[in-house]
Amino acid sequence: MPYEYRIFHTKLVNRGLEVVIREELNNDQWRRYEIFQDTLGGRPYLFNGGLPPGGSDGSGAPGIDYQVPAEALTDSEFAAIYKEAQKYVGTPYVWGGSTPETGFDCSGYVCWVYNQNGYDVGRTTANGLWNKSQHISEAEAKPGDLVFFKGTYDTPGMSHTGIYLGNGMMVSAGDPIKYANIHSSYWEKHLAGFGRLSK
């Protein structure tokens, strides 16, 4: 029997939990939320074995504005890496994401940026990137190297990675992709090391 039907098409945009929460809370509520994020409400077993809500980094920080110093951009290799990385600042965190179409998790973001710049890292985890990197000290680290963290959620080895920008700063896929100071209280307690990829 013929019948009439209609199809409704819509596009949903994942703005990320942290962005939505920040818009709804006043400063006092936001400070309480940061404490909750840091302690996981005293019940880490409710959060997937310790994975904080709102993304991989759990820092609770909304991100900061940061301008890479002009002298760092005179290195053409780093300038190209940073140009690609900067395109996605503000993109929501998506667990397992590894392309602009799917969104990014921390290792997916780093793999994408470096693969677009002539590296062949494939798609791997933060720990996989650690294993592919030459391990270096913070004193040796320069813009374009990787920075690694342990214990940001319950997984063996490295649990988070970002692109080091120099001066203690990084860009990484938290929720959303954002700039962060690696020596802030949250990141400092999880800081595990630095790595350098080679082509």
Side-chain angles (χ1 to χ4, degrees):
M1 205 134 176
Y3 62 93
E4 184 178 318
Y5 67 92
R6 296 171 193 257
I7 298 174
F8 177 72
H9 295 277
T10 186
K11 180 180 179 183
L12 300 177
V13 177
N14 180 352
R15 296 175 59 220
L17 184 61
E18 292 286 335
V19 174
V20 174
I21 289 173
R22 186 65 182 127
E23 290 173 353
E24 297 297 320
L25 302 181
N26 65 34
N27 285 337
D28 181 58
Q29 292 168 326
W30 179 253
R31 281 193 292 279
R32 291 170 190 260
Y33 176 76
E34 288 181 306
I35 293 168
F36 176 81
Q37 286 284 78
D38 198 37
T39 63
L40 298 179
R43 290 178 167 76
Y45 55 85
L46 294 177
F47 297 105
N48 194 21
L51 176 64
S56 68
D57 70 8
S59 67
I64 55 179
D65 289 328
Y66 182 68
Q67 189 71 34
V68 170
E71 61 269 14
L73 297 173
T74 60
D75 176 338
S76 60
E77 181 77 12
F78 171 66
I81 289 168
Y82 180 64
K83 182 178 180 182
E84 184 66 23
Q86 192 178 31
K87 290 179 188 176
Y88 309 106
V89 170
T91 301
Y93 177 90
V94 176
W95 181 263
S98 60
T99 69
E101 292 75 30
T102 62
F104 295 102
D105 64 13
C106 70
S107 57
Y109 173 60
V110 171
C111 290
W112 175 267
V113 168
Y114 282 82
N115 286 331
Q116 301 311 301
N117 282 283
Y119 291 77
D120 184 21
V121 296
R123 171 61 170 110
T124 189
T125 63
N127 206 56
L129 286 165
W130 174 254
N131 292 333
K132 290 176 183 267
S133 299
Q134 172 195 352
H135 303 160
I136 57 175
S137 69
E138 184 171 357
E140 297 170 285
K142 62 185 178 92
D145 287 332
L146 303 183
V147 58
F148 294 91
F149 303 87
K150 280 186 179 177
T152 57
Y153 69 98
D154 189 16
T155 190
M158 302 300 169
S159 61
H160 189 78
T161 186
I163 300 168
Y164 187 61
L165 303 175
N167 299 325
M169 297 296 295
M170 72 170 173
V171 61
S172 74
D175 194 2
I177 293 174
K178 59 189 172 183
Y179 300 104
N181 184 328
I182 66 171
H183 296 296
S184 64
S185 61
Y186 176 82
W187 291 114
E188 183 74 37
K189 72 181 176 184
H190 295 290
L191 184 59
F194 293 80
R196 182 167 296 156
L197 293 171
S198 54
K199 287 186 175 177

